[in-house]
Amino acid sequence: MKDEAAREDPRVLIARSVDSEVLRWRQGDVVDDIYALRLVDLKRPLTPASEALRITEGLQLADSSKENPELAVLDTVESLGYVIISQTCDVVRSVSDQPHFQACPIVEIPDGLISQVRKSESTRIVWLPALNRNVGADLTRTFSAEKSVLVGRNLRHGVETDEEIRNFAMVVARRFGRFAFPDDLHTSLHAMRTRLISKHKKNSDEGAALRNIHQIRAEALPGWNATSVEIVLHFILEPHVLPEVDDWSTFVPVSSVSPSQAAMDISSSSGNLAAQKWVELAQAWVSLCRPAGVIKSISAQVSGTSSFTLEQMRNSEQLDLDYLSISTFE
């Protein structure tokens, strides 16, 4: 009798129907016609939306840090919709174990950030290539919703191919599991970071070279917690950039040149000579760094995606320039 009563309980039927519905949803899917809630302090508005609500409510701005906040819940509706960022395994899990999913609003990608987002370099916005536009999920604005809001909604995929799905998951994972680089590294890389950001989108030899780099990874010797640290920056080239190089260690800088000159030399070289010029370019960039604090030295190594080993991957952390104290590539 108890089992029969449970089967007739509307809450059990609802849970079962939602469990059935969520099986068709996955990470990277688009949810339309919903809205998110945002908690704001109307006395200290930080966005146009919260400022508009403050004016509507007729509240004055706070005139001291001790003044109590005026909290309010702000409805936000994104015309492009929202995208699920929860892992697929959590999305399809029974609501009795996991009743919520996480989503982020879809936004137009700023012009200065398009290249980085498309290459999965930014952890601020993750690209949604299946939507056939320069749009992505704004990972800085995450919210939770109950899975029942997915019932009966049209489903669109923001990512479709295996590569798109993998890249989406990778960026989301990096965003919420980013390595906490020490402040001394931020200081040490400031000049190099500023140059790379300024050149990345330029129609120049140096800009083209930067767009041919798959990743820049930082390795700390003997480790990040040491009192004296030597940094190796690994510049990993895209597969198509050069023919396979068996041993990158045979290439060493033979001259001190500017980054712009080294990049120009790359554009007019091929084969082993181009590999040599890549090493010189990486060294030219690193020469802009100014080791500070516990960072005692910074050196460069170049490799291709096929020659960079799993062990090197485990011993290094990816440098995402947009979260090394830089919010946008502008």
Side-chain angles (χ1 to χ4, degrees):
M1 294 293 293
K2 290 184 179 181
D3 290 342
E4 183 177 349
R7 286 195 297 270
E8 295 175 351
D9 188 330
R11 287 163 295 197
V12 174
L13 297 176
I14 289 172
R16 187 179 300 131
S17 66
V18 175
D19 281 347
S20 176
E21 173 70 19
V22 297
L23 291 177
R24 67 191 184 98
W25 293 85
R26 69 186 187 201
Q27 185 182 61
D29 283 346
V30 176
V31 188
D32 294 310
D33 301 321
I34 64 172
Y35 60 90
L37 300 178
R38 186 194 314 168
L39 184 64
V40 299
D41 177 5
L42 293 183
K43 291 184 178 180
R44 301 172 180 84
L46 301 179
T47 63
S50 55
E51 170 66 5
L53 183 58
R54 179 193 70 82
I55 294 173
T56 299
E57 296 295 326
L59 294 172
Q60 298 296 316
L61 294 173
D63 56 11
S64 76
S65 60
K66 295 181 180 180
E67 187 171 340
N68 290 332
E70 184 70 33
L71 299 181
V73 175
L74 181 67
D75 293 351
T76 60
V77 179
E78 298 293 336
S79 59
L80 298 177
Y82 298 83
V83 64
I84 295 174
I85 64 166
S86 297
Q87 292 183 322
T88 300
C89 59
D90 288 329
V91 175
V92 302
R93 185 173 298 169
S94 172
V95 297
S96 61
D97 296 324
Q98 180 56 268
H100 304 97
F101 69 92
Q102 282 70 51
C104 292
I106 299 173
V107 298
E108 297 280 353
I109 303 172
D111 290 342
L113 203 59
I114 290 175
S115 176
Q116 288 75 24
V117 171
R118 282 174 170 258
K119 291 180 63 178
S120 302
E121 291 178 349
S122 173
T123 56
R124 172 186 157 196
I125 298 176
V126 56
W127 189 31
L128 300 171
L131 300 185
N132 297 316
R133 295 175 60 187
N134 285 325
V135 298
D138 182 352
L139 297 180
T140 69
R141 297 164 55 195
T142 304
F143 72 98
S144 296
E146 294 192 2
K147 292 178 179 178
S148 51
V149 306
L150 298 174
V151 173
R153 298 194 178 276
N154 293 328
L155 185 152
R156 291 187 294 148
H157 297 314
V159 289
E160 292 183 325
T161 69
D162 288 346
E163 182 179 10
E164 292 170 357
I165 293 170
R166 182 167 54 250
N167 287 341
F168 184 95
M170 177 186 68
V171 173
V172 171
R174 286 211 322 273
R175 173 71 194 184
F176 297 103
R178 294 178 298 176
F179 183 76
F181 289 107
D183 290 340
D184 287 344
L185 184 66
H186 293 229
T187 302
S188 301
L189 298 182
H190 176 75
M192 185 191 77
R193 180 181 65 241
T194 301
R195 183 177 183 91
L196 298 189
I197 290 172
S198 68
K199 297 294 183 180
H200 198 288
K201 61 183 179 181
K202 296 293 180 61
N203 184 22
S204 65
D205 293 328
E206 195 171 353
L210 281 166
R211 291 187 289 274
N212 279 324
I213 295 175
H214 178 70
Q215 282 186 13
I216 304 175
R217 300 186 67 85
E219 180 180 3
L221 303 173
W224 291 106
N225 294 323
T227 56
S228 179
V229 180
E230 297 178 1
I231 299 294
V232 179
L233 294 183
H234 295 275
F235 294 81
I236 308 170
L237 305 184
E238 295 283 9
H240 64 275
V241 175
L242 287 173
E244 185 63 30
V245 175
D246 294 330
D247 186 3
W248 278 94
S249 65
T250 61
F251 300 98
V252 295
V254 296
S255 62
S256 178
V257 297
S258 67
S260 57
Q261 181 61 55
M264 185 182 302
D265 292 341
I266 287 174
S267 67
S268 60
S269 305
S270 60
N272 285 347
L273 179 58
Q276 173 67 40
K277 297 304 180 181
W278 266 107
V279 172
E280 294 179 5
L281 174 58
Q283 184 57 46
W285 281 328
V286 167
S287 68
L288 300 173
C289 299
R290 296 292 180 265
V294 300
I295 309 299
K296 301 306 179 185
S297 68
I298 303 176
S299 60
Q301 289 189 11
V302 181
S303 64
T305 53
S306 61
S307 59
F308 196 74
T309 68
L310 177 59
E311 187 66 18
Q312 289 175 304
M313 184 75 71
R314 293 175 58 187
N315 292 334
S316 61
E317 303 293 338
Q318 182 172 350
L319 282 183
D320 284 332
L321 297 178
D322 63 332
Y323 72 74
L324 281 175
S325 303
I326 296 290
S327 61
T328 64
F329 284 81
E330 297 179 342

